[in-house]
Amino acid sequence: FEDALRRLEIPYKIIGSVRFYDRAEVKNVIAYLRVVVNPADTLSLKRVFNVPTRALGKTTLEEFEKFAFAQNLTLFNALERAADVPNITPRAKKAAAEFHALLSTFMANRDQHDAMQLTKQILDATGYLKGLETDEDAEAQTRAQNVREFINAIEEYLERSEDKSAAGFLEQVSLVADTDEIESGPNYVTLM
């Protein structure tokens, strides 16, 4: 319903829930796509640094940020030099190097794959969706359903757009976020 209302430019408000694109699991997948399209997007990289968990906690992230700043590197480029980062464990260095290699693989494929293929590759390689699906918790199942619904949104985007790239899809998502901020006045649809 949210996507249809956005597409038709009909103002709406959600009562008792979070907007679809504001849900953590959807933001995580979007963050992966943003990093793949733009490796210098430090905010998105920090969001998925340890999603799903990969032995790269908060302290490790802080050390990488210090190293990147000191060496005048992006956070992504600092990951490539994980072996040179002081004060982190060998396990974290290995995890960081693997994470960099994983992201680099996605980046190498971004121009050959459309937004759907790239998203599925990210979800498969990271195990993010599978991890949510195998968790017995009801909240995890809801999160998995939201990720699958996000995939449906990409499919719908591909059907109606000439630009099939992940960058084109992210641009559309950004426009959606911008229209969410527009004041709707007294006339809007209420969703619960």
Side-chain angles (χ1 to χ4, degrees), residues 11-185:
Y12 69 93
K13 290 190 180 178
I14 297 181
I15 308 296
S17 187
V18 177
R19 290 179 183 272
F20 182 73
Y21 289 99
D22 289 341
R23 296 172 189 269
E25 58 277 10
V26 174
K27 283 179 151 185
N28 290 340
V29 180
I30 290 171
Y32 267 108
L33 289 171
R34 284 189 173 142
V35 170
V36 171
V37 168
N38 176 14
D41 186 341
T42 299
L43 221 52
S44 294
L45 182 55
K46 285 169 65 173
R47 180 171 188 92
V48 296
F49 196 72
N50 199 33
V51 174
T53 54
R54 61 173 60 87
L56 296 174
K58 184 181 174 201
T59 305
T60 302
L61 174 59
E62 289 169 358
E63 291 300 323
F64 269 96
E65 287 180 303
K66 282 187 220 171
F67 179 78
F69 182 75
Q71 300 293 317
N72 199 23
L73 299 169
T74 64
L75 183 58
F76 177 75
N77 291 337
L79 284 173
E80 186 175 22
R81 294 184 45 195
D84 302 333
V85 179
N87 304 323
I88 62 171
T89 66
R91 182 174 176 231
K93 288 181 182 192
K94 182 177 185 272
E98 289 171 356
F99 184 44
H100 182 273
L102 185 68
L103 291 174
S104 296
T105 301
F106 301 150
M107 289 172 200
N109 295 331
R110 74 177 167 222
D111 295 331
Q112 291 85 25
H113 293 323
D114 65 25
M116 176 69 78
Q117 294 165 325
L118 190 59
T119 302
K120 286 187 174 180
Q121 182 187 21
I122 289 168
L123 292 174
D124 289 344
T126 61
Y128 185 59
L129 179 57
K130 187 172 277 310
L132 292 172
E133 289 173 336
T134 57
D135 190 331
E136 301 282 324
D137 183 52
E139 186 176 329
Q141 292 302 310
T142 300
R143 289 178 184 273
Q145 180 58 42
N146 288 337
V147 172
R148 287 190 293 271
E149 192 57 44
F150 179 73
I151 292 169
N152 291 340
I154 295 172
E155 194 173 296
E156 191 176 302
Y157 164 79
L158 293 176
E159 287 172 4
R160 66 175 195 279
S161 177
E162 289 182 30
D163 183 355
K164 310 289 187 203
S165 70
F169 175 72
L170 289 171
E171 187 176 309
Q172 187 254 342
V173 168
S174 293
L175 291 173
V176 163
D178 291 345
T179 59
D180 285 348
E181 303 303 316
I182 296 172
E183 194 56 45
S184 59

Side-chain angles (χ1 to χ4, degrees), residues 1-14:
F1 282 110
E2 283 186 72
D3 278 340
L5 290 171
R6 282 189 190 104
R7 204 171 37 259
L8 297 169
E9 298 180 14
I10 299 172
Y12 69 93
K13 290 190 180 178
I14 297 181

